[in-house]
Amino acid sequence: MLETAEKMIEAAGQRLERVVYTEGEIRARVGAMGEQIARHYEDAGDLLVLGLLKGSFVFLADLVREIPLPLHVDFLVASSYGSEKVSSGDVQLLYQSASTLKGRNVLVVEDIIDSGTTVARLMPLLREREPKSLEICALLHKRIVPLEWEPRWVGFDAPRDFLIGYGLDYSEHFRHLPFIASLRD
Ligand code: IMP
Ligand code: MG
């Protein structure tokens, strides 16, 4: 798989630096997160898992299968990066879920929090819709400074490198890699 991925990455004009999290490491961590989240919401009632597209689609699919509670799934589409490696800071909500948030436990699922701009822009909009509770779960966190909206659950404290795979893209490439890797500059 790694060799195939390396060829794909090269074909897209990029080079693989290293595998940062293997498939097995991700599976173990997502399993543990699912367990913690299930324990937290066990007696809380209605749970809506709200994935931020596109990056969270792989993580969310694996995560919800590790949460043995009644729950609903919906998505939001926010866009900030365009085709660049650096956030433009201009976060746009391209799609708002039609699900009612009022009175429900809402868990926002994000692939990676970098500057925190995306969640900082998004969370007040969700808060306005009066959920009973509102939390963030992020697979990866490039933590440098404390954020206004800290995720309650984080998979890995990620290195500052630009990461791809397991939902994460570079110009829409590489989302389907089963592991997370960094690209050479
Ligand atoms: P923030 O707004 O700076 O926190 O960036 C969050 C969004 O940027 C994430 O939802 C990702 O889509 C994208 N992003 C941040 N870092 C990376 C990375 O290393 N690889 C791929 N996408 C990233
Ligand atoms: Mg993205």
Side-chain angles (χ1 to χ4, degrees):
M1 179 65 214
L2 187 56
E3 208 182 311
T4 316
E6 271 182 325
K7 281 187 190 138
M8 274 171 27
I9 291 167
E10 262 189 54
Q14 300 290 318
R15 286 174 71 198
L16 183 95
E17 173 82 43
R18 68 189 175 98
V19 174
V20 181
Y21 305 108
T22 64
E23 240 182 300
E25 285 168 338
I26 297 170
R27 194 179 312 116
R29 189 68 194 109
V30 172
M33 291 174 88
E35 214 170 282
Q36 286 179 356
I37 290 168
R39 213 175 304 131
H40 180 83
Y41 288 107
E42 213 163 24
D43 304 311
D46 202 14
L47 174 60
L48 175 66
V49 180
L50 208 48
L52 250 166
L53 290 177
K54 301 176 199 168
S56 74
F57 82 107
V58 179
F59 174 44
L60 183 138
D62 284 346
L63 183 69
V64 291
R65 284 178 287 177
E66 301 289 345
I67 305 176
L69 296 177
L71 58 78
H72 292 95
V73 173
D74 207 337
F75 295 95
L76 294 171
V77 185
S79 152
S80 70
Y81 269 48
S83 60
E84 300 305 314
K85 280 189 188 176
V86 187
S87 178
S88 61
D90 173 27
V91 178
Q92 293 182 31
L93 251 191
L94 306 177
Y95 167 77
Q96 280 257 35
S97 86
S99 299
T100 308
L101 304 195
K102 196 178 165 95
R104 306 176 77 180
N105 297 295
V106 175
L107 175 61
V108 174
V109 176
E110 173 63 312
D111 52 354
I112 182 166
I113 297 177
D114 182 3
S115 65
T117 311
T118 305
V119 289
R121 290 286 302 275
L122 184 70
M123 298 303 274
L125 299 176
L126 299 179
R127 176 59 76 213
E128 271 174 23
R129 292 166 70 180
E130 300 176 55
K132 180 174 157 195
S133 69
L134 183 59
E135 300 288 354
I136 303 168
C137 169
L139 178 65
L140 302 160
H141 195 331
K142 291 181 179 171
R143 192 188 303 265
I144 23 169
V145 286
L147 300 174
E148 188 186 345
W149 293 93
E150 282 294 336
R152 184 165 194 132
W153 297 280
V154 174
F156 302 99
D157 287 325
R160 301 287 311 152
D161 313 312
F162 193 82
L163 304 174
I164 53 153
Y166 200 71
L168 297 161
D169 72 303
Y170 173 60
S171 286
E172 297 299 328
H173 293 287
F174 317 129
R175 290 195 194 274
H176 61 310
L177 297 181
F179 52 83
I180 293 172
S182 60
L183 289 181
R184 202 158 289 175
D185 286 330

